[in-house]
Amino acid sequence: MAKVLVTGGTGFVGSHSVAALHRAGHDVRMLVRSRDKVPKALNPHDVEVDDIVQGDVLDRDSLSAAVDGCDAMLHAANVFSFHPRTHATMLEVNVTGTRLVMEMASKAGLNPVIHVSSVLALLPAEGPLSADSPVGEPDPAYCRSKAEAERVAREYQQRGEPVIITNPAAVWGPHDPHRGESTGLLLAALKGQMRVVNDGLISVVDVRDVAEAHARLIDPAFAGRRFILAAHDLQFSSLLERIGELTGRRLKPLTVPHGAAMALGKAMDWIAHRTGADLPVGFEPPWVLANNAPTNASATVEALGISWRPLDDTLRDMIEWMVTEGLVSERQAGRAA
């Protein structure tokens, strides 16, 4: 068993990964910006972590203290937002932070160092996304920040550093401490706020499966490899239909062409940037739906012996959690409540 430093442990993927590492018997240390966020993130998992370093991935001193005495690292710290006003922060944390984390982990001799990337970093792509896919050249800010961060991680891999890269698909599931994008998407669907969409491919994976994969990857034997974490490829309209079937509700927004959806999204981003408003439509989600590609995670399944949860289980557990948290009513959850 290893002493594992986790950055971003109070986030969605990070908190579930902390729980999975704990179940696997690893000793976890967390680097967090605020200690107050730890209980909210970990209480749903019945996990306590006492070894906490308060700091930031952009701060050398706190990173130096955090890596001291550790054997391995899971780097999940990440700013994930589609709001235009977060663009500069995303580039700083996601890219500059990753470079500093890789540098400090290398100096401390951590092995392995898992960098949590995204399938979005590989877009746009020709053919299925796999561990052999090159880094993409995406247009939107968040996707671009993930691509640039993965380039940093791959640079360290090419140097022979024991870096592992995971590329999760759209991460769905219960117990999201910050009610991020997948929670917001499902909320909008259940509350009838999703009125216009462009229909494209979406790849989904359960957050608990991502966490389990991360726990299994704390092994130097996997150093230098990349892993696609994706379970279900389906059209976005099919995802909405499945949610409708589980809830017994009709969820049928207006479907428009990709170009129209992206043009509307750019207009909404322009308004959001100037007013600070948190608008339900932006450029990045329709761009992803227009440019997404199928995933091939067969190598991940073979290497880790992992099996993905059925999509219905993910959606049902997520909706039940949202009812418990008061995010949606039992009426809005329908049969899935």
Side-chain angles (χ1 to χ4, degrees), residues 15 40 146 149 187 199 218 221 232 235 247 256 273 307-308 310 337:
S15 59
K40 179 183 177 183
K146 294 304 289 184
L187 269 174
D199 194 17
I218 299 296
H232 311 286
Q235 291 297 115
T247 58
V256 300
H273 182 67
S307 55
W308 310 116

Side-chain angles (χ1 to χ4, degrees), residues 312-329:
D312 283 4
D313 289 0
T314 299
L315 296 174
R316 191 177 292 109
D317 291 348
M318 194 173 180
I319 294 171
E320 289 178 356
W321 164 73
M322 291 167 72
V323 171
T324 302
E325 291 292 301
L327 299 178
V328 295
S329 66

Side-chain angles (χ1 to χ4, degrees), residues 60-141:
R60 286 181 178 273
D61 291 338
S62 59
L63 264 176
S64 178
V67 299
D68 185 36
C70 287
D71 305 306
M73 176 190 284
L74 174 68
H75 174 45
N78 175 62
V79 176
F80 181 18
S81 172
F82 293 147
H83 199 289
R85 290 197 173 184
T86 65
H87 291 180
T89 303
M90 280 193 299
L91 287 171
E92 185 176 27
V93 173
N94 298 354
V95 183
T96 306
T98 294
R99 183 170 294 281
L100 190 53
V101 163
M102 292 293 152
E103 176 188 334
M104 301 302 286
S106 175
K107 288 181 179 179
L110 304 191
N111 184 6
V113 177
I114 302 174
H115 170 67
V116 184
S117 185
S118 168
V119 295
L120 301 180
L122 310 178
L123 299 180
E126 295 182 5
L129 302 176
S130 72
D132 297 323
S133 295
V135 179
E137 296 285 350
D139 292 332

